[in-house]
Amino acid sequence: SLPAKLINGGIAGLIGVTCVFPIDLAKTRLQNQQNGQRMYTSLSDCLIKTIRSEGYFGMYRGAAVNLTLVTPEKAIKLAANDFFRHHLSKDGKKLTLLREMLAGCGAGTCQVIVTTPMEMLKIQLQDAGRIAAQKKLMAAQAQLSSSPTAAAAEPAVETRTTATQITRELLRSKGIAGLYKGLGATLLRDVPFSIVYFPLFANLNKLGQKDPNVKAPFYVSFLSGCVAGSTAAVAVNPCDVIKTRLQSLQRGVNEDTYSGILDCTKKIWQREGPTAFFKGAYCRALVIAPLFGIAQVVYFIGIAEFLLDMLPKHRA
């Protein structure tokens, strides 16, 4: 049933995000730093520096936004894929690869309704620590070069903004369109991701089914979700880099600004080289693999069906 699908998708999203959010934060910071302004050299370096400067909970900056919106986002994505697969199937026959890809395309298109504002807010909060650290470093270097005694001065305290403050400011200055900045880039990432992910998962999952009418074991669903998720994540990483750069409202010192997808692509290619499009790719794979593995296990186990079945018994 649709309520069960929505509940399953929501539970899966909450569990997955809680487990992998620090890696997602590192991915955002690695993707946003530009040549000449590098604060972090790797995933581990980013997490260590984040803990030292912002504390353990610094790794979860922006998590509240994700935890709030990931339920409808994952619910829409998984339920929409099932919806399109059902309507594209002919008399219950096996879907062709093309129809599976079309179902994934429909799911990816539907989810951006929630994904775009969620990512917009999350990126601002995740990247705030990197920008603040960069400004402190630049200020310390300037003080050392101008006056050695001035280096002992207290560094500027970072003013932390909340998702609510960012949302109000965007709505006040740009209206609802402000929350949908980077919509085109989000579609460019999420639609191809779903086209790759859902057919690949479905076919991998079928390999573990002894009977077409019986669900695959949970570990098969988990591994299928991990493999399909990481493959799709790496495949669309260039689009994710572009989306992250376009949705960042604040820039570090001497960092480029972009007017659109083509401008962003051109500047990254010319100034940072083609390898820049794969910044944070391994972080994204580490995020997506367990996220979708957990999502598919929860979704296919059907926790919601169990809860919904228990309600009438409890009332009785």
Side-chain angles (χ1 to χ4, degrees), residues 1 15 21 44 69 93 119 162 174 195 199 201 274 279 291 312:
S1 65
I15 295 171
F21 193 83
S44 58
L69 297 178
K93 293 181 180 178
E119 294 269 321
T162 65
K174 299 181 181 179
I195 289 173
F201 169 78
K279 283 183 176 181
L291 184 62

Side-chain angles (χ1 to χ4, degrees), residues 193-268:
F193 178 92
S194 295
I195 289 173
V196 173
Y197 172 77
F198 283 111
L200 182 56
F201 169 78
N203 286 283
L204 288 173
N205 199 53
K206 284 176 187 175
L207 297 176
Q209 289 179 282
K210 295 180 180 179
D211 186 324
N213 297 318
V214 179
K215 288 181 180 179
F218 78 93
Y219 64 86
V220 173
S221 291
F222 176 76
L223 291 174
S224 299
C226 288
V227 173
S230 57
T231 301
V234 173
V236 302
N237 197 76
C239 301
D240 189 56
V241 172
I242 294 168
K243 183 200 72 67
T244 301
R245 296 280 182 96
L246 288 175
Q247 288 188 321
S248 297
L249 300 177
Q250 294 186 16
R251 303 287 177 190
V253 181
N254 300 323
E255 289 185 344
D256 290 326
T257 56
Y258 311 103
S259 60
I261 295 173
L262 292 178
D263 180 57
C264 183
T265 304
K266 182 180 177 182
K267 286 180 178 176
I268 292 174

Side-chain angles (χ1 to χ4, degrees), residues 29-43:
R29 293 188 177 186
L30 288 169
Q31 285 183 340
N32 262 335
Q33 63 180 7
Q34 300 178 18
N35 289 350
Q37 304 294 334
R38 292 172 65 88
M39 292 292 301
Y40 316 107
T41 58
S42 64
L43 166 64

Side-chain angles (χ1 to χ4, degrees), residues 120-171:
M120 258 290 293
L121 297 172
K122 183 194 72 171
I123 285 171
Q124 313 318 314
L125 298 171
Q126 285 183 329
D127 204 38
R130 180 189 71 88
I131 294 172
Q134 187 194 83
K135 288 179 178 178
K136 287 179 182 179
L137 181 62
M138 296 288 286
Q141 290 174 346
Q143 288 174 346
L144 282 171
S145 60
S146 60
S147 173
T149 56
E154 287 292 326
V157 178
E158 177 194 354
T159 303
R160 295 202 175 193
T161 55
T162 65
T164 305
Q165 290 173 331
I166 296 170
T167 302
R168 285 175 179 171
E169 178 59 28
L170 285 171
L171 290 174

Side-chain angles (χ1 to χ4, degrees), residues 18-72:
T18 303
C19 294
V20 301
F21 193 83
I23 304 173
D24 186 60
L25 178 136
K27 181 219 62 144
T28 298
R29 293 188 177 186
L30 288 169
Q31 285 183 340
N32 262 335
Q33 63 180 7
Q34 300 178 18
N35 289 350
Q37 304 294 334
R38 292 172 65 88
M39 292 292 301
Y40 316 107
T41 58
S42 64
L43 166 64
S44 58
D45 180 58
C46 180
L47 292 178
I48 290 169
K49 287 179 178 176
T50 298
I51 293 172
R52 285 176 180 172
S53 61
E54 302 169 55
Y56 174 79
F57 290 105
M59 295 191 298
Y60 283 88
R61 293 183 72 168
V65 175
N66 247 35
L67 290 171
T68 301
L69 297 178
V70 75
T71 298

